[in-house]
Amino acid sequence: MFGFLSAAKSGMSAQDAVAGAEEGTVTILDVRDLGEVNQTGIANGAVHIPLMRLRDMADPRHPDYHPSLKTSDKIAVYCASGARSHSAKSILSQLGYNDVHNIGGLAHWVRAGGAVSTA
């Protein structure tokens, strides 16, 4: 039931995501709401697209497409706990993104040594 919390199922751990972000080989995607980001900060270098807007902003054919996302990129998605990032992974897969990984929540990023920026 809580398979979305398992990094092993995604193929990438939070530690892998932190290292990949530092190397420039992984795009980090935060799908939390703006209020959450304002309250707790965001992973350094992450692209912020709330889950509610992801289908439009990740679709290269849509006028609101976010150019930081590329279907060929390796993408690590997180939210607060891992549930929304699980949904985000599914949405991105439907849009043709092939290398997407749910790394859980922001706390997983922090425990893996990832830095957080605050406004």
Side-chain angles (χ1 to χ4, degrees):
M1 176 173 172
F2 294 103
F4 61 84
L5 295 175
S6 172
K9 289 187 184 241
S10 79
M12 179 187 296
S13 68
Q15 292 85 357
D16 296 335
V18 169
E22 290 172 356
E23 296 166 359
T25 59
V26 175
T27 299
I28 307 300
L29 177 61
D30 183 329
V31 294
R32 297 174 301 147
D33 295 331
L34 182 59
E36 292 171 284
V37 171
N38 289 339
Q39 186 176 28
T40 60
I42 187 169
N44 276 3
V47 175
H48 175 243
I49 301 175
L51 182 61
M52 286 179 34
R53 298 279 297 135
L54 185 61
R55 189 168 302 279
D56 294 339
M57 294 182 75
D59 186 344
R61 302 164 299 181
H62 196 278
D64 291 338
Y65 171 65
H66 197 295
S68 294
L69 296 180
K70 309 260 185 307
T71 56
S72 59
D73 287 351
K74 182 179 287 190
I75 300 173
V77 184
Y78 75 89
C79 59
S81 68
R84 283 175 286 177
S85 49
H86 177 75
S87 296
K89 179 180 175 186
S90 177
I91 290 168
L92 291 170
S93 293
Q94 292 168 11
L95 291 171
Y97 292 79
N98 298 317
D99 201 356
V100 181
H101 307 272
N102 176 5
I103 61 166
L106 181 61
H108 296 100
W109 171 265
V110 171
R111 279 195 301 269
V116 174
S117 300
T118 56

